Amino acid sequence: TAGITQAPTSQILAAGRSMTLRCTQDMRHNAMYWYRQDLGLGLRLIHYSNTAGTTGKGEVPDGYSVSRANTDDFPLTLASAVPSQTSVYFCASSDSFSVGYNEQFFGPGTRLTVL
Amino acid sequence: QKEVEQNSGPLSVPEGAIASLNCTYSDRGSQSFFWYRQYSGKSPELIMFIYSNGDKEDGRFTAQLNKASQYVSLLIRDSQPSDSATYLCAVRRGSTLGRLYFGRGTQLTVWP
């Protein structure tokens, strides 16, 4: 199985443009997450979804939006990109949002550069 | 204070040595603790998790948890050059369900 796929692998985007980062999982996991990873700052949670139809804000949600129309897909949208959104974006999923053991599986990442 | 703190590193050890990675966390209600390994340019992958005080061993890896001291560590015995990576500590708090809080990571280099 593919696990989690993300697209695109990398992207250069002009400031002010919009973009959607795609994430699809085939593990039928209930919970999905979007993180950004920046040098020296580690992984920071942007948004999450504990089940299809619901979403929540993480640590750094400003400038980003998400939707969860079905179990498998969790797209992340930048409505008007700014250079500070240059980062590596990881999508992750886990079987359940509420149990103690909550292994999160990560996708391969999208490297985004906003100029 | 950041939720999860890791020794900043980088940490460099010779092949065959024990590498010790440390992590402290601020929320006493934290319930589960995870160690992820991330190779350069790759995504994080889970190597260990622990939720009870004491030690948990898996092959060359041992996770140690001390909830009273709010401290979790990862020991890598017989370190190999292939262990060279960044190690991320993550904590699941009781109050925020499935969310994980990650430390900034410790870069480990194992030299031959």
Side-chain angles (χ1 to χ4, degrees):
Chain A
T1 59
I4 300 178
T5 58
Q6 293 185 236
T9 301
S10 65
Q11 182 74 45
I12 298 174
L13 186 67
R17 300 296 295 268
S18 66
M19 178 171 185
T20 296
L21 280 60
R22 299 184 298 279
C23 174
T24 298
Q25 54 104 358
D26 63 3
M27 297 177 282
R28 307 303 294 173
H29 282 171
N30 289 306
M32 298 187 74
Y33 314 82
W34 274 105
Y35 293 90
R36 60 177 290 173
Q37 188 173 39
D38 304 288
L39 194 63
L41 295 177
L43 281 164
R44 293 182 293 169
L45 182 66
I46 305 170
H47 284 287
Y48 65 91
S49 169
N50 58 1
T51 190
T54 66
T55 62
K57 293 182 179 180
E59 184 181 355
V60 287
D62 294 343
Y64 305 95
S65 64
V66 292
S67 62
R68 186 88 184 277
N70 57 60
T71 297
D72 299 342
D73 301 300
F74 191 43
L76 176 73
T77 298
L78 288 69
S80 179
V82 295
S84 62
Q85 292 177 309
T86 294
S87 187
V88 179
Y89 291 85
F90 288 104
C91 179
S93 71
S94 65
D95 182 50
S96 173
F97 195 74
S98 60
V99 296
Y101 168 51
N102 181 43
E103 177 180 359
Q104 293 186 15
F105 296 86
F106 284 80
T110 293
R111 183 174 296 275
L112 178 66
T113 303
V114 182
L115 301 176
Chain B
Q1 181 186 3
K2 191 168 167 53
E3 291 277 349
V4 181
E5 300 272 7
Q6 294 184 244
N7 44 343
S8 58
L11 179 64
S12 181
V13 301
E15 184 173 358
I18 296 175
S20 177
L21 303 160
N22 304 315
C23 175
T24 58
Y25 57 95
S26 61
D27 183 0
R28 271 196 187 277
S30 297
Q31 296 184 347
S32 309
F33 308 86
F34 304 81
W35 283 100
Y36 282 80
R37 177 177 62 200
Q38 186 175 25
Y39 292 113
S40 181
K42 302 296 185 182
S43 56
E45 58 178 331
L46 182 71
I47 53 173
M48 290 283 290
F49 74 94
I50 187 169
Y51 47 81
S52 299
N53 272 329
D55 295 358
K56 180 181 180 182
E57 188 174 317
D58 184 1
R60 296 186 295 112
F61 298 94
T62 299
Q64 299 175 317
L65 174 62
N66 183 327
K67 289 187 176 181
S69 300
Q70 295 175 236
Y71 177 90
V72 58
S73 65
L74 180 70
L75 301 178
I76 306 174
R77 292 183 302 280
D78 188 24
S79 295
Q80 301 297 309
S82 58
D83 295 325
S84 298
T86 296
Y87 290 81
L88 305 172
C89 173
V91 173
R92 176 181 174 272
R93 295 168 56 186
S95 60
T96 53
L97 298 178
R99 290 178 57 172
L100 293 183
Y101 294 82
F102 283 84
R104 297 178 183 181
T106 299
Q107 184 178 346
L108 171 66
T109 299
V110 181
W111 44 276

